[in-house]
Amino acid sequence: MGQEDLMGTAEDVADQFLRVTKQYLPHLARLCLISTFLEDGIRMWFQWNEQRDYIEATWSCGYFLATSFVLLNLLGQLVSVSGCVLILSRNFVQYACFGLFGIIALQTIAYSILWDLKFLMRNLALGGGLLLLLAESRSEGKSMFAGVPSMGESSPKQYMQLGGRVLLVLMFMTLLHFDASFFSILQNMVGTALIVLVAIGFKTKLAALTLVIWLLAINVYFNAFWTVPAYKPMHDFLKYDFFQTTSVIGGLLLVVALGPGGVSMDEKKKEW
């Protein structure tokens, strides 16, 4: 079987998967995408003292200011959970996404993520998933005027999809292994190729679906927090990593379900 035949077979399998799951895939994608916000909100309720002590130690701001910040963060988590409910119910999605963007920005500053490149890139990837949700909500709003002539797809939506795709692939850059083993080199080469395909929007659905499968396997294998006792710090670290990765999987599933958008090679090929 030649390379073109193999690629054609893979695209046929992906198309068949989309036909079978098209009614459920967007809902699953949204649930995965907001999972980290739901988990974070629940964790804040049960780890009040730990969060306060961490802020006090990191910023040397004293007991009162640390408590005030954790209280503010807790109120933010209530907004976060409310935003998740709105997204799942498809109500006021744009306002909910802006609220979740605010939560990401607040936590990036408060937990010193700005100075940790790995976690900063993962937060940016999470923001990319929210950009795709915003683009999807614009599409739904536009569909209300389906019978009205238009000049084409709105540019903001196209560029939100492009920005979302580019930010999502930052997650995979944190998974690259810089050692000389054959498996690591092979994994880096294949992963980088898929990352580039998603970013430029070429064979996008197939590449994004392959990345979903790859990232799901890595997530379950390396971030198996359920195998670590709850009292150990590693349990919370792995759980945080697991749900952040799940959110990025949700963003990629949105790419699979909705396509790459107008600013992509897949769309340009139709014009050629």
Side-chain angles (χ1 to χ4, degrees):
M1 181 181 290
Q3 184 178 357
E4 292 184 2
D5 294 335
L6 184 62
M7 183 65 69
T9 301
E11 288 182 325
D12 289 342
V13 171
D15 289 339
Q16 180 63 30
F17 172 80
L18 287 175
R19 281 194 293 270
V20 173
T21 62
K22 65 179 180 181
Q23 292 184 338
Y24 314 104
L25 197 58
H27 301 290
L28 177 62
R30 295 181 205 114
L31 180 60
C32 288
L33 210 160
I34 64 170
S35 63
T36 191
F37 297 102
L38 290 172
E39 188 276 331
D40 206 27
I42 294 171
R43 178 163 46 85
M44 279 295 299
W45 279 100
F46 293 100
Q47 294 186 350
W48 171 279
N49 292 330
E50 290 87 344
Q51 295 291 328
R52 183 198 60 219
D53 293 342
Y54 176 84
I55 294 297
E56 185 177 0
T58 301
W59 293 96
S60 302
C61 57
Y63 180 89
F64 176 76
L65 287 178
T67 302
S68 300
F69 175 81
V70 173
L71 178 60
L72 176 63
N73 197 14
L74 186 58
L75 293 174
Q77 295 304 326
L78 291 176
V79 173
S80 173
V81 172
S82 300
C84 293
V85 172
L86 290 174
I87 287 171
L88 289 177
S89 63
R90 314 308 297 142
N91 293 309
F92 304 104
V93 174
Q94 295 189 28
Y95 297 106
C97 287
F98 288 133
L100 296 180
F101 275 125
I103 295 298
I104 292 175
L106 178 66
Q107 293 185 344
T108 298
I109 296 171
Y111 294 101
S112 301
I113 291 175
L114 276 173
W115 319 121
D116 189 321
L117 184 60
K118 177 180 177 180
F119 285 100
L120 177 61
M121 291 170 74
R122 293 191 175 197
N123 267 19
L124 289 173
L126 189 55
L130 291 177
L131 268 180
L132 292 172
L133 272 178
L134 273 176
E136 183 197 20
S137 69
R138 289 181 66 90
S139 177
E140 289 176 348
K142 189 177 178 182
S143 67
M144 295 170 59
F145 305 98
V148 180
S150 66
M151 296 298 293
E153 197 172 14
S154 60
S155 292
K157 179 196 168 185
Q158 292 181 10
Y159 288 107
M160 278 192 285
Q161 288 179 290
L162 173 62
R165 292 200 319 270
V166 171
L167 289 175
L168 277 177
V169 301
L170 291 177
M171 167 62 77
F172 296 92
M173 295 179 67
T174 69
L175 299 175
L176 297 178
H177 298 281
F178 299 100
D179 57 66
S181 69
F182 173 77
F183 179 75
S184 293
I185 293 173
L186 179 63
Q187 177 177 289
N188 290 346
M189 290 177 61
V190 174
T192 301
L194 292 171
I195 286 169
V196 172
L197 290 176
V198 171
I200 66 176
F202 182 68
K203 306 287 186 184
T204 315
K205 291 186 177 183
L206 177 59
L209 186 58
T210 305
L211 283 175
V212 165
I213 296 170
W214 180 35
L215 192 54
L216 181 62
I218 290 176
N219 199 26
V220 171
Y221 183 78
F222 288 107
N223 296 324
F225 65 89
W226 52 87
T227 63
V228 180
Y231 63 84
K232 291 189 175 182
M234 183 58 69
H235 176 89
D236 286 337
F237 177 81
L238 291 177
K239 183 189 286 187
Y240 172 82
D241 226 18
F242 178 88
F243 281 101
Q244 269 220 327
T245 307
T246 301
S247 291
V248 175
I249 288 174
L252 286 168
L253 285 175
L254 271 183
V255 174
V256 174
L258 304 176
V263 186
S264 65
M265 290 189 65
D266 286 342
E267 290 298 317
K268 296 302 179 184
K269 281 196 306 179
K270 297 176 182 178
E271 298 176 5
W272 300 339

